[in-house]
Amino acid sequence: MAGKKAKELPYTLPEEFHVFGFSSDLLAWYDSQKRDLPWRINRDPYRVWVSEIMLQQTRVETVKPYYANFMEKFPTVGALAEAPEDEVLKAWEGLGYYSRARNLQAAAREVQARYGGIVPDTPEDIATLKGVGPYTAGAILSIAYEKAEPAVDGNVMRVFSRLLYLTDDIAKPATRIKIEHLVRQVIPRGRAGDFNQALMELGAMVCVPRSPQCLTCPVFDYCMARQEGVQEDLPIKGKAKPPRPVHLQVAVVMRDGQVLINKRPDTGLLAGMWEFPMVETEVERESAKQDVLSNSLRDRFAVEIEVLESLGEVQHTFSHLHWNMQVWSCDWIEGDELPPNARFVAVDELDTYTFPMAHHKIRELMQQKSDRS
């Protein structure tokens, strides 16, 4: 129809922003300066997918050895889909946020069943996979399949907040959606994957949270926040609610050179992982804490124990919880009929079980006591 107005985008780039120049300069920098990372060896969608899940809330240098080990054990979607969950969790041990591993395996099984082991290449299909949100979907589609889809993580939100002088709170979902619209307008056809990785690389290496390295920035001339001298004031981010403190008593119960461990429930925090028995307490007196611990083990595992001495304290913080763990050395007195989720194991066999990081810290306390003995 003559005179019909083009459909307006919800968010558009400023008219003065030079899209072609920005993309060209950023990609030229990326081509010459990008880091040599193991997941960049090829564009296999499964390798890209695993790397993106591992990199969520985890530093690149931490991920590297885990990624190499994981890909060796589970080199294909089918290998991951068919592996026992305990083996997958063991390969993930130490990375934290274990729901990522469970969701990854559940999604791999779905890809195996529905798509013949081939990671889907459309936004509609890939978004249905467990644990695959907008960022991960955009990363896989752009890097592996060269689809012009945005991949907006914390690095990209920081870069665009400064680049376009955005004062929106990046902690709000609406801001991520806005930046996705803006990034989509800048992605160059044919190099979507490199462009998204270049944005992330820029945020990780140059446009860092504190003291951004503006003088070495390849897109210095395009940055509106830098032009106004406010780059260190951006992005705006609302404060997260502090994690709730939880006070726990932990029992290291020994019997003939073996130690008591139990498996956590199949759902919830640290689901299916092994731990030393523990109970949440609110009491202050040491003797009362010991009584609560003894009673808990009697009720849960049908064992009688003697609490001997404190081995020390362990702190561990999750996104929503802060564990304050007081660890007690205990002796088994009686009780042999343990429930299915508990067992006594030799100390030197603990490495065959998957423990959360908080309980690895308890193992360090055990080792320190052994060294002193």
Side-chain angles (χ1 to χ4, degrees), residues 334-349:
E334 63 178 358
D336 293 315
E337 294 297 325
L338 293 173
N341 68 324
R343 64 188 60 172
F344 278 97
V345 299
V347 173
D348 59 6
E349 293 178 359

Side-chain angles (χ1 to χ4, degrees), residues 56-336:
Q56 292 172 12
Q57 299 169 297
T58 310
R59 293 176 60 253
V60 166
E61 292 305 314
T62 301
V63 166
K64 283 182 180 180
Y66 282 95
Y67 180 78
N69 178 61
F70 197 89
M71 295 309 302
E72 183 178 352
K73 291 184 183 304
F74 317 111
T76 64
V77 169
L80 179 59
E82 295 164 10
E85 182 182 275
D86 285 348
E87 287 186 17
V88 176
L89 290 177
K90 188 65 181 174
W92 204 272
E93 187 178 35
L95 272 179
Y97 300 96
Y98 292 92
S99 61
R100 295 181 297 170
R102 289 191 185 84
N103 290 342
L104 178 61
Q105 185 176 37
R109 287 170 175 165
E110 190 174 352
V111 169
Q112 188 73 5
R114 290 176 55 193
Y115 304 103
I118 299 173
V119 180
D121 63 354
T122 67
E124 297 76 18
D125 288 338
I126 205 165
T128 65
L129 299 178
K130 196 165 186 178
V132 175
Y135 163 74
T136 305
I140 297 169
L141 291 171
S142 62
I143 297 170
Y145 294 118
E146 279 301 351
K147 301 293 180 81
E149 293 291 329
V152 175
D153 67 352
N155 282 321
V156 175
M157 285 197 283
R158 183 169 61 256
V159 167
F160 261 69
S161 292
R162 290 168 174 167
L163 185 68
L164 301 180
Y165 196 168
L166 303 177
T167 56
D168 308 73
D169 183 351
I170 65 168
K172 294 183 177 179
T175 302
R176 180 187 55 77
I177 293 172
K178 177 178 181 176
I179 292 176
E180 283 179 349
H181 281 286
L182 296 170
V183 172
R184 192 182 294 277
Q185 298 167 56
V186 187
I187 298 174
R189 296 288 170 178
R191 294 203 67 185
D194 284 342
F195 179 78
N196 281 339
Q197 290 183 93
L199 278 180
M200 290 182 260
E201 195 89 334
L202 186 72
M205 306 299 292
V206 178
C207 196
V208 292
R210 297 179 183 83
S211 302
Q213 309 300 303
C214 295
L215 293 179
T216 60
C217 179
V219 289
F220 176 97
D221 292 332
Y222 307 90
C223 184
M224 298 179 181
R226 194 272 311 168
Q227 291 167 12
E228 297 296 326
V230 295
Q231 63 270 26
E232 295 196 29
D233 299 329
L234 295 172
I236 303 298
K237 185 176 183 180
K239 289 189 176 181
K241 186 177 179 181
R244 177 175 65 87
V246 178
H247 298 279
L248 298 159
Q249 310 304 312
V250 186
V252 176
V253 182
M254 302 301 300
R255 183 189 71 177
D256 300 327
Q258 295 185 315
V259 62
L260 179 63
I261 60 174
N262 68 274
K263 196 171 190 179
R264 292 178 65 87
D266 291 334
T267 58
L269 181 66
L270 304 175
M273 302 188 76
W274 291 87
E275 66 181 8
F276 301 102
M278 60 185 190
V279 60
E280 184 174 349
T281 56
E282 296 180 358
V283 295
E284 294 295 330
R285 289 183 298 108
E286 297 291 278
S287 59
K289 293 177 183 177
Q290 296 176 36
D291 289 341
V292 170
L293 187 58
S294 298
N295 293 337
S296 173
L297 267 69
R298 183 184 302 115
D299 294 341
R300 293 168 57 200
F301 307 117
V303 297
E304 294 289 340
I305 65 167
E306 179 185 3
V307 181
L308 301 176
E309 61 177 336
S310 174
L311 291 178
E313 295 185 356
V314 167
Q315 310 287 318
H316 192 81
T317 302
F318 302 91
S319 57
H320 61 303
L321 298 173
H322 179 77
W323 280 1
N324 301 285
M325 309 167 74
Q326 188 162 4
V327 184
W328 299 90
S329 173
C330 307
D331 263 352
W332 168 84
I333 298 175
E334 63 178 358
D336 293 315

